[in-house]
């Protein structure tokens, strides 16, 4: 909701501003705006008093209160509510992840668990072959034979028996298949790198915040921290405690997009996300897969308010006419258009560059250097130091 004074006239904008103006036109009343004195939506203090918009309505300073006030049993002890007009899905958003660096792309084809199992398998085969096939070899020699088979090197000095052939054939099948799967995936990762991981659920976000990898901000004036602390899920409670301890909040007066330049997640409604960041494909944020919760928004009215039935009647027509969704889509489209004008078209780079392969060339030349040093060592070290 936005408020502007033009030629001594109050002009309301935003979704709820248009809704309020529509109510005023239909019910023929004039609008006088009262701002929340402490920028709060409405929370109850320990002495039973209320602050924010709810406090204004309860005390009679304002007849009605708007701005996406969630309907709760606690608030209904102080004020009444109209029929619901919007569903508030509380989620979090984080900045769209960037591309993972190509320099470490050689590790991408397999997950960490797959790499660990692969290494353990190589070590197990080394010990097994040393005892069964390469009995006259050391552990190091057996390891070098096994490692060589992975890069298509022949294996020699094999004791030729049928069951050893079966064992060797089974290993060679693995030694051929694993590098094949690796190489077919490696180029695809270089051509189109993966994106850096970001929290997708509240459980992942809680873990990231506990590990000091992310900050999480709640909307100033909301009861989101209280909802987190009162959750039945332990990770939600821990997340709420850290947010409250560090007083992590944000307000609509700030440029919300700038807050996401650091590893930060913002807890807000999905409708607010569309308003501030527009609609796909030009948004640069990623929404969470789950919700903190879903609440219905209504108009708060004083207990002595005279015209609640008339208010509900017009609000019911607005709901059925789809006006709220239209206003939301219009505002989201305006945000999308603005974001689109700020985006410069860039031709996607799908070709491989020398910079992308510098680690591969560095590894290759390092291997050549080590091989050359081994060759020099064989020439220069006296024969008497070489074990017979």
């Amino acid at each position: 909701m936005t408020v502007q004074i033009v030629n001594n006239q109050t002009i309301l904008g935003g979704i709820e501003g248009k809704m309020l103006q529509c109510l005023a036109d239909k019910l023929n009343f004039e609008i006088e705006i009262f701002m929340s004195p402490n920028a709060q939506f409405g929370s109850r203090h320990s002495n039973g008093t209320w602050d924010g918009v709810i406090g204004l309505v309860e005390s009679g300073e304002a007849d009605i209160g708007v701005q996406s006030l969630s309907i709760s049993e606690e608030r209904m002890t102080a004020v009444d509510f109209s029929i619901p007009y919007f569903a508030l899905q509380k989620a979090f958003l984080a900045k769209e992840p960037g591309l993972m660096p190509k320099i470490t792309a050689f590790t991408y084809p397999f997950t960490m668990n797959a790499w660990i199992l692969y290494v353990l398998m190589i070590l197990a085969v080394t010990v097994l072959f040393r005892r069964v096939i390469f009995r006259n070899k050391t552990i190091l020699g057996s390891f070098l034979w096994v490692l060589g088979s992975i890069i298509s090197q022949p294996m020699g000095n094999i004791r030729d028996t049928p069951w050893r052939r079966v064992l060797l054939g089974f290993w060679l099948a693995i030694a051929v298949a694993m590098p094949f799967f690796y190489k077919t995936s490696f180029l695809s990762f270089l051509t189109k790198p993966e994106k850096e991981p970001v929290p997708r659920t509240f459980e992942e976000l809680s873990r990231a915040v506990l590990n000091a990898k992310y900050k999480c901000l709640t909307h100033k004036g909301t009861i989101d921290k209280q909802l987190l602390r009162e959750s039945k899920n332990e990770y939600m409670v821990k997340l709420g405690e850290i947010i409250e301890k560090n007083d992590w909040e944000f307000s609509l007066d700030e440029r919300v997009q700038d807050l996401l330049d650091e590893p930060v997640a913002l807890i807000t409604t999905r409708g607010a996300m569309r308003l501030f960041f527009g609609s796909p494909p030009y948004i640069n944020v990623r929404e969470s897969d789950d919700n903190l919760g879903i609440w219905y928004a209504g108009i708060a009215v004083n207990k002595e308010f005279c015209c609640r039935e008339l208010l509900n009647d017009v609000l019911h027509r607005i709901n059925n006419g789809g006006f709220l969704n239209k206003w939301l889509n219009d505002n989201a489209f305006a945000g999308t258009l603005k974001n689109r004008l700020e985006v410069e078209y860039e031709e996607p780079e799908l070709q491989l560059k020398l910079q992308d392969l510098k680690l591969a060339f560095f590894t290759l030349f390092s291997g050549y250097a080590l091989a050359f040093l081994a060759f020099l060592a064989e020439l220069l070290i006296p024969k008497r130091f070489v074990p017979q």
Side-chain angles (χ1 to χ4, degrees):
M1 180 175 172
T2 60
V3 181
Q4 291 180 323
I5 306 298
V6 179
N7 296 329
N8 294 325
Q9 289 186 342
T10 302
I11 306 299
L12 302 180
I15 299 173
E16 302 209 9
K18 292 183 177 180
M19 179 188 70
L20 186 58
Q21 188 62 58
C22 183
L23 290 170
D25 294 341
K26 288 296 179 182
L27 296 177
N28 194 27
F29 63 81
E30 296 181 357
I31 302 172
E32 183 180 359
I33 301 296
F34 290 85
M35 303 301 295
S36 174
N38 54 357
Q40 300 288 317
F41 291 88
S43 301
R44 184 164 61 180
H45 298 291
S46 57
N47 59 4
T49 60
W50 287 81
D51 60 14
V53 179
I54 299 297
L56 289 175
V57 175
E58 182 196 31
S59 64
E61 295 182 55
D63 295 307
I64 63 175
V66 295
Q67 199 69 352
S68 300
L69 298 175
S70 56
I71 303 173
S72 68
E73 186 176 356
E74 186 180 30
R75 285 178 173 175
M76 292 185 71
T77 61
V79 298
D80 288 335
F81 278 93
S82 67
I83 61 173
Y85 62 85
F86 205 76
L88 303 175
Q89 300 182 55
K90 286 289 182 73
F92 72 86
L93 60 88
K95 190 174 183 179
E96 182 72 22
L99 298 178
M100 297 181 71
K102 292 183 180 180
I103 193 171
T104 56
F106 69 93
T107 63
Y108 297 166
F110 297 150
T111 63
M112 180 62 70
N113 291 337
W115 278 116
I116 293 174
L117 289 175
Y118 194 23
V119 171
L120 292 177
M121 182 173 60
I122 292 174
L123 296 177
V125 170
T126 298
V127 175
L128 179 63
F129 279 20
R130 165 68 179 80
R131 297 180 63 87
V132 176
I133 298 180
F134 305 128
R135 291 190 175 180
N136 59 342
K137 290 286 184 181
T138 62
I139 287 290
L140 179 59
S142 177
F143 174 74
L144 293 177
W145 280 117
V146 172
L147 195 62
S149 66
I150 296 176
I151 54 176
S152 303
Q153 295 297 316
M155 299 180 71
N157 195 21
I158 299 174
R159 305 184 67 178
D160 193 9
T161 59
W163 70 273
R164 288 191 177 93
R165 290 180 183 178
V166 173
L167 181 62
L168 181 62
F170 181 71
W171 166 247
L172 290 179
I174 298 176
V176 171
M178 293 298 288
F180 173 77
F181 294 143
Y182 177 85
K183 287 184 285 188
T184 53
S185 301
F186 181 61
L187 287 179
S188 65
F189 278 101
L190 286 177
T191 306
K192 191 173 179 61
E194 283 285 287
K195 292 188 175 182
E196 295 178 348
V198 296
R200 303 300 300 271
T201 64
F202 273 93
E203 186 173 4
E204 293 178 2
L205 176 62
S206 178
R207 257 197 319 267
V209 171
L210 287 173
N211 294 329
K213 295 181 179 179
Y214 260 80
K215 291 172 62 178
C216 182
L217 311 182
T218 60
H219 197 301
K220 187 177 180 180
T222 63
I223 57 174
D224 293 341
K225 288 180 286 189
Q226 177 184 345
L227 295 174
L228 287 168
R229 295 195 315 271
E230 294 176 354
S231 173
K232 296 180 180 179
N233 297 317
E234 185 179 357
Y235 59 86
M236 290 278 203
V237 176
K238 291 181 178 179
L239 179 61
E241 291 174 349
I242 293 179
I243 294 173
E244 186 170 31
K245 178 182 177 181
N246 294 280
D247 196 25
W248 285 339
E249 293 182 333
F250 72 97
S251 66
L252 302 181
D253 298 332
E254 306 173 71
R255 181 172 168 79
V256 182
Q257 290 83 348
D258 295 340
L259 296 175
L260 298 174
D261 290 340
E262 300 178 3
V264 171
L266 306 179
I267 297 180
T268 185
T269 63
R270 295 190 185 273
M273 296 178 193
R274 293 179 58 188
L275 290 177
F276 285 109
F277 299 97
S279 303
Y282 304 112
I283 60 175
N284 58 350
V285 296
R286 177 171 291 183
E287 300 179 15
S288 61
D289 293 338
D290 57 355
N291 294 317
L292 171 62
I294 300 177
W295 292 266
Y296 288 103
I299 298 176
V301 299
N302 186 271
K303 292 285 187 180
E304 305 298 327
F305 186 64
C306 63
C307 311
R308 181 180 173 186
E309 292 185 4
L310 290 174
L311 181 69
N312 284 339
D313 182 57
V314 178
L315 196 58
H316 187 70
R317 298 180 192 178
I318 292 175
N319 277 337
N320 288 348
F323 287 101
L324 284 168
N325 285 330
K326 180 184 183 302
W327 295 330
L328 176 61
N329 292 334
D330 288 347
N331 281 269
F333 175 76
T336 299
L337 185 61
K338 181 180 179 182
N339 292 339
R340 179 65 186 91
L341 295 174
E342 295 175 355
V343 173
E344 296 182 1
Y345 178 74
E346 296 181 1
E347 190 70 29
E349 297 180 355
L350 298 181
Q351 69 273 19
L352 295 177
K353 298 180 179 179
L354 183 60
Q355 184 179 5
D356 302 329
L357 300 173
K358 62 182 179 182
L359 182 62
F361 283 114
F362 175 77
T363 305
L364 176 64
F365 289 122
S366 297
Y368 285 157
L370 291 175
F372 182 69
L373 292 175
F375 173 69
L376 290 179
E378 289 184 359
L379 293 179
L380 300 178
I381 294 177
K383 295 291 185 181
R384 64 176 179 271
F385 292 111
V386 179
Q388 298 297 326

